[in-house]
Amino acid sequence: MADEIKIDKQAFHNRLSQFISSWKADKRSGDALFGGVGSIVILMGKTEESNSFQKNNAMHFWLLGYEFPATLFLFTPETFYIVTTAKKAKHLEPLKNGKVPIEILIRGKDADQNAKIFERCAEVIKTSGKKVGVIAKDTSSGPFVDEWKKAIGDVSKEVEEFDIAPALSAAALSVKDENELRAMRNASRACTGLMASFFVEEMSEILDAEKKMSHKALADKVDAKIDEPKFFKNLPKLSPDFDSQQLDWTYGPIVQSGGKYDLKLTAQPDNENLHAGIIISAFGLRYRTYCSIIARTYLVDPNKSQENNYKLLLSIHEAVLREIREGVVVKDIYNKALSVLKTKKPDLEKHFLKSVGAGIGIETRDGTIILNGKSTRALKDGMTLCITTGFNDIQNPEPQDKKSAIYSLVVSDTVRVTRAEPVVFTKDAPSDLESTSFFFKEEEEPAPKPKAKKDPKVGAVAVKNITSTKLRGERNTQNDEGAEARRREHQKELAQKKQREGLERYSESTGDQNGAAQKKFKRFESYKRDNQFPPRVRDLVIVVDVKNSTVVLPIMGRPVPFHVNTIKNVSKNDEGEFAYLRFNFVSPGQGVGRKDDQPFEDATAHFVRSLTFRSKDADRMQEISQQITELRKTAVRKEQEKKEMEDVVEQDKLIEVRNRRPQALDNLYVRPAMDGKRIPGDVQIHQNGLRYQSPLRTDHRIDILFSNVKHLFFQPCAHELIVIIHVHLKHPIMVGKKKTKDVQFYREATDMQFDETGNRKRKQRYGDEEEFEAEQEERRRRADLDRQFKNFAEKISAAGTNESTDVDIPFRELAFNGVPNRSSVLMQPTTDCLVQLTEPPFTVVTLDDIEIAHLERVQFGLKNFDMVLVFKDFHRPPVHINTIPVESLESVKEWLDSVNIPYSEGPLNLNWGTIMKTVIADPHQFFADGGWSFLAAESDDEDADESEEESAFEMSESDLAASEESSEDESDFDEDASAEASDDVSADDDSGGEDWDQLEKKAAKKDREGGLEDEEEKPKKRKR
C-alpha cells in the first residue's frame, strides 16, 4: 500500500501557499481570524477507526491527500516543519523546494534524538511569538502524542494557546476548489442513487409484502450495497471515471420508525422491526475523502395532520435554500426559517431543530459553521453545506396505532454556495410530498347512500344509449374517480399556493416590480457641433444627410436638423406649377391607443406637427421624398436589428485543451446550419465549453461555454430518423448571421449508403433472409448510435459539472402531438422541460419558468384542444401549443399535475395579449382581485353544467329494467326520438307532469305528424 502513495505535489504547494498567504494577510489586517498566533501546531496520533474526521485529519487530507499517523505539523509564516518517521518521510521528500520552505525532522528508535527534535520544535514555537495556534477539541492519543505533551509542557506556560480551528476552516477547508467540488458531487450522486434506486425499493417491497425486518437488518442491506460496483455503474449522472472503490461510509446508514427517532449524527439503527408509519432514512457517503449527507422522511398511509406538518417542513427547507448565497450571515438563515415557522405554525417551534445544518467537506460536520441563531460567520462562494431541517417528537393527534403516537420529520440535502441560488447536489432524490408518500392500505369504500325513489319516467333512455360503446369514437374515457379527486385536490392546493406567492411577490411596496416600464420621451441627437452640418446647408435648401440619419430643413433663414426618427411620414402633392412637400412629425397626443407611443414630457411644451415646402422643381421634390422614405426604412431596420440583438451575449473565450487531444464525436451535422455546403463536422469537449468545427474552413466553428448552457438533452433515435444532442442556452449567440438559443448536433440514423434500387450488387438470396438481416443490422446500428451519443452527452455533463450541466432525456411515453409553431409535432416532457427537438423551430420550455397552464377549447364534440403556458416573467409572451388531440387530454392533465403546474380549462380561446397587459399594468391588484382564479371559475362553471346534465342519467336497477321493457315494446322508435322523449320527461319532472304511457303516446303522435321538432331548440343531453 505504501508504494501506491502518490501525493499531488502541485495541489500541495498551491494549498500550502494559499494557507500561509491567508495567515499573513490576516496579520496585516488586524489578526481577526488567526488571533495573532506566531505558529500553528497540528498533531496526529495513532490511527482510529472512525468515520468522522476532525480538523487534524482534515488538514492531512487537504494538504497530502492521505492521513499520516504519529506526525506533527508545525507551521510558521516562514517555514513548514514536519516531524514523522523515516518510512513516511520518503513520501514527503519530493515536496521540498517549493514556494514555502519545508523542513522534515525524522524520528527514529533513539529516544534522546526524538526528544531533541521535540525540543527544537518547542524552541521554534517560543521564538515565533507569544501565541501558538492549537486545535482546542483535539482528541488525538497514543505514545507519540504523550511524548509531545511532555516536551511542550514547560513551553506551554510561556506561550498562550489559541483555538485555531475557525481559522483552519475559513482559510483552508471551507471553500472548495474544482476537484473538491467534483468529489462532493460524485458522493452526492452516489447518495441519491442509493436512496432513490435502492432504499425506497427495498422499503416498499418490505411494507407491501408485510415482511418483518428490523431497522438494523435493512441498514445492513444498504451498507452492503456500496460493495457492488455494478450498482453504481448503472446509476445515471455518475461521471464515467467514477470509482466505487473510493466510496466509504461517513454517517449511517440509519433507518428509524415506530415512534423512536434520533436526529443526531451519532444515532444508530436499533433491532425494532420496520413500522408502516413515518420512516426516516439517513446516511452519508465519502468519495475521495469528501462527504455528502442525505436524509429523507417517507410517510406511509399518513393522516392529514402529518401531511400538513411535512408540507410545512418542506416550505421551511425551501425558504432556507432560497436564503443561501455568498455574503449572507449564517444566523440570518436560521432566523428566516424560524420566521416562516412562527408565521405558519408557531406551536411547532419547540419541536424544531436547534440548527438548520452545518458545513461539510472532508469533515462530516464542520463545527465552526453551524447554521444556528448565534453564528456570525458569512457564507462564501464555493462553500458546501449540509442543510438539515426537521421536527423532533411531534404528538400525533390521530395516531393510526400505538407506535404512531409520536413521530419526527427531517430532510437533509448537501448544497454548494454560489453568488446566486445554491446548487443542491442531492436534488435527484425527491423530497416532495407526492414522491415520499406511500399508501398500502386499501381505501375503505364509503357506504352507499340510499337513493330516493324516482319516477319511472326518468328511465326513458334506452339502456344501449348509456353504454360506453355509444361514446364518440368508442374511446375509453372512463377515469379513475379516486385519481381524479386527488388531482382536483392537488390542483386546488397549487392554485392557492400560486395565489399566496403572487401576493407576496407583488406586495404594496413592490407593486410595479414586474409592471410595465414607463414610456419615456424619446430623444435623438443629429449633431453635437455646428461644424458637423453638411456644407450644402449654406444654400438653405432641403438636405438629406444619410450618414447622420438627418434631414436639414431651412426655416426662417436657418438650417434646422430633424432626426429621421422624428419624421412620421412625407407626402408630395402637385398643384399647378408648384410641387408641395409636406413633413409630418411624431408628436405626443396624435396617436390613438397602442400607436401613441410618444408620451408628454412637458404638458406646456409646443410641438411642430407638420411643415410644408413649395417648389417649382417637382423632380427635386420627388427625389427628396424618395431619399427620406429610404432613410426611414433604413432607420427602422437598424432599430429592429438593434432590438433583436439586445439579448445576444458576447461569450468568454473558449479555453482549449492543450496537453491532450480533446474528447470528440465526429460526423455530426449542426442546426442552425452554417453557411455554405452541408458537410458533417466534429464536436469537441474543451476545458470550459464545446466547439463544433467544420472540416472545410477553420473559421466555420461554433463555441458554446458551459456557463451559458441552460439545458442539455439527448434524444435517442428510437421512432426517429436522427439521434440528437441538443443544447439550450441561457442567452442567445450568433451562428453565422442567425441569432439562436438552441444549437443541435445530430446524425442520421438511416443507412443512406444502402441502395434498394439495384445499383449495388446484391447477394443471391431468396425469401426473407436478406430483409431480416437488414432489419437486424438497422437495429444494431441504431443501438450503437444511441450508445455513442449518450456516452458523449454524459462526458459533456461531466466536463460541465461546475455549471450543473446535466443530461436530460425526453420521456416518449408521456409525449403528445401539438402545434407550437406551424406544423404538428411530437411534444415530449423531460425532467425539467417540455421539448420538441426534431423539427426546427425547436421548442424548449423550462417547467420552473411556468406560472400556470390553461387548456382552451375543452368542450364536448371537439376533436382537439389548445394549451397555453403562462410564464412567471409576465413580460414574456405565453407559449401556445395548439391542436392537441382530445385523446391526450387526460394524460396532459396528469403530467401537468405530476410536475406541480397549476392548470385550468375552458371552452373558448382567450385574448392573452389583453390579459397579460392587465396583469403587467398592476400585478398587485391582479392578485388582490383573485389572480388566476378567473380561469378556474370558468372551468368550474362548465363542470357544474355537466354535472347537472349528468344527473338526468342516474337510474336505479328498477328504472333500468323499466327502460329495457319500454325499448322492446316500442321498437319502432329511433334513438333520437327516445332521447327527445327523455328530455321532455326530465324537463317536466319537477312539476309532476304526465305519466309514462301518456308521454310515449305523445312521442308516437309527433312522429306520425311529420318528424321531430327542431332539436336545436331543445336542451340536448351530452353523451358520455
Side-chain angles (χ1 to χ4, degrees), residues 844-860:
V844 179
V845 181
T846 306
L847 301 182
D848 287 342
D849 294 344
I850 298 174
E851 175 84 359
I852 55 129
H854 183 63
L855 309 178
E856 300 180 326
R857 297 195 300 126
V858 179
Q859 54 179 304
F860 180 76

Side-chain angles (χ1 to χ4, degrees), residues 120 203 427 873:
R120 186 182 172 194
M203 177 191 73
K427 65 180 179 182
D873 178 5

Side-chain angles (χ1 to χ4, degrees), residues 447-453:
K449 294 180 181 179
K451 292 185 178 180
K453 189 174 181 181

Side-chain angles (χ1 to χ4, degrees), residues 81-369:
Y81 299 90
I82 304 176
V83 180
T84 190
T85 61
K87 192 174 181 181
K88 301 186 190 84
K90 71 176 183 179
H91 300 295
L92 301 172
E93 284 293 338
L95 302 178
K96 289 184 175 181
N97 303 320
K99 187 177 178 181
V100 178
I102 299 174
E103 190 170 337
I104 301 174
L105 306 175
I106 301 175
R107 284 168 51 87
K109 296 182 179 179
D110 188 344
D112 294 336
Q113 184 64 28
N114 293 344
K116 286 179 182 178
I117 291 173
F118 278 157
E119 285 173 10
R120 186 182 172 194
C121 292
E123 190 62 31
V124 170
I125 293 171
K126 282 173 65 178
T127 56
S128 297
K130 295 183 178 180
K131 275 188 178 182
V132 59
V134 297
I135 300 171
K137 296 181 180 179
D138 189 1
T139 58
S140 301
S141 60
F144 180 81
V145 176
D146 295 337
E147 283 184 47
W148 168 251
K149 288 181 178 178
K150 183 179 178 182
I152 199 70
D154 296 333
V155 179
S156 60
K157 297 175 183 177
E158 303 174 27
V159 179
E160 179 187 349
E161 292 186 350
F162 177 80
D163 186 10
I164 204 68
L168 295 179
S169 173
L173 302 173
S174 61
V175 178
K176 315 294 187 297
D177 61 25
E178 185 178 339
N179 292 327
E180 293 174 295
L181 290 171
R182 186 177 293 114
M184 291 200 65
R185 190 176 283 107
N186 280 328
S188 299
R189 287 174 175 170
C191 278
T192 55
L194 204 55
M195 181 70 78
S197 302
F198 181 73
F199 174 79
V200 173
E201 296 299 323
E202 286 291 316
M203 177 191 73
S204 303
E205 185 181 337
I206 292 166
L207 296 175
D208 198 20
E210 297 183 354
K211 296 179 184 176
K212 299 292 184 183
M213 181 176 286
S214 69
H215 298 144
K216 192 171 188 315
L218 181 54
D220 289 343
K221 288 188 76 172
V222 179
D223 189 348
K225 203 67 183 175
I226 70 166
D227 296 325
E228 297 181 22
K230 188 177 179 182
F231 172 78
F232 294 99
K233 189 176 181 181
N234 294 330
L235 286 179
K237 296 190 177 181
L238 276 177
S239 58
D241 59 347
F242 180 83
D243 181 8
S244 61
Q245 298 297 319
Q246 299 281 349
L247 274 179
D248 195 8
W249 291 105
T250 183
Y251 162 55
I254 306 297
V255 182
Q256 301 177 3
S257 67
K260 295 179 181 178
Y261 302 94
D262 183 359
L263 304 186
K264 297 176 183 176
L265 283 177
T266 54
Q268 294 294 328
D270 57 27
N271 289 312
E272 295 290 325
N273 285 336
L274 188 70
H275 174 256
I278 302 298
I279 300 173
I280 291 177
S281 173
F283 47 77
L285 287 174
R286 185 186 301 280
Y287 182 74
R288 298 189 190 273
T289 73
Y290 286 87
C291 308
S292 175
I293 288 179
I294 187 172
R296 293 290 183 264
T297 301
Y298 296 99
L299 296 81
V300 182
D301 297 313
N303 57 35
K304 205 67 180 174
S305 170
Q306 291 171 327
E307 287 185 346
N308 291 336
N309 287 339
Y310 187 70
K311 287 179 186 175
L312 172 62
L313 179 65
L314 289 181
S315 67
I316 295 172
H317 195 76
E318 289 168 4
V320 169
L321 292 178
R322 284 196 299 270
E323 286 294 303
I324 293 174
R325 60 187 176 278
E326 185 176 30
V328 173
V329 178
V330 164
K331 66 179 181 181
D332 293 342
I333 299 173
Y334 184 76
N335 291 334
K336 176 67 176 179
L338 272 186
S339 66
V340 173
L341 178 58
K342 289 177 180 177
T343 303
K344 295 185 176 180
K345 221 168 188 181
D347 54 314
L348 285 181
E349 185 181 352
K350 60 185 178 182
H351 300 285
F352 192 59
L353 300 182
K354 301 304 179 185
S355 69
V356 290
I360 190 172
I362 297 175
E363 296 176 277
T364 309
R365 180 181 173 88
D366 187 344
T368 64
I369 316 177

